Amino acid sequence: MAERHETADKWGELSWEGQQLDRCLAALSGPAFGTHLWTADKAPRDVARELVAHL
């Protein structure tokens, strides 16, 4: 961060990245991202099946 001459913001150490969080979270709630697939602890095969079921 110091080499980019940035200072900490409300997100702490992540200056530019932290400022993008609100924008990105708002975009993810839009219609283009209406279906969320939770992939934690799932095998890739199960994720693929779930994805195909939503197409």
Side-chain angles (χ1 to χ4, degrees):
M1 187 165 87
E3 58 273 5
R4 295 188 296 189
H5 306 288
E6 296 181 35
T7 59
D9 59 16
K10 66 181 181 179
W11 301 105
E13 292 297 316
L14 300 177
S15 182
W16 181 87
E17 298 88 344
Q19 292 175 8
Q20 306 312 305
L21 187 59
D22 291 332
R23 178 185 61 82
C24 293
L25 290 175
L28 287 172
S29 66
F33 297 97
T35 302
H36 297 270
L37 300 178
W38 301 105
T39 61
D41 301 321
K42 291 184 181 177
R45 181 183 321 184
D46 296 333
V47 173
R49 285 183 183 143
E50 191 173 345
L51 177 61
V52 169
H54 286 283
L55 294 177

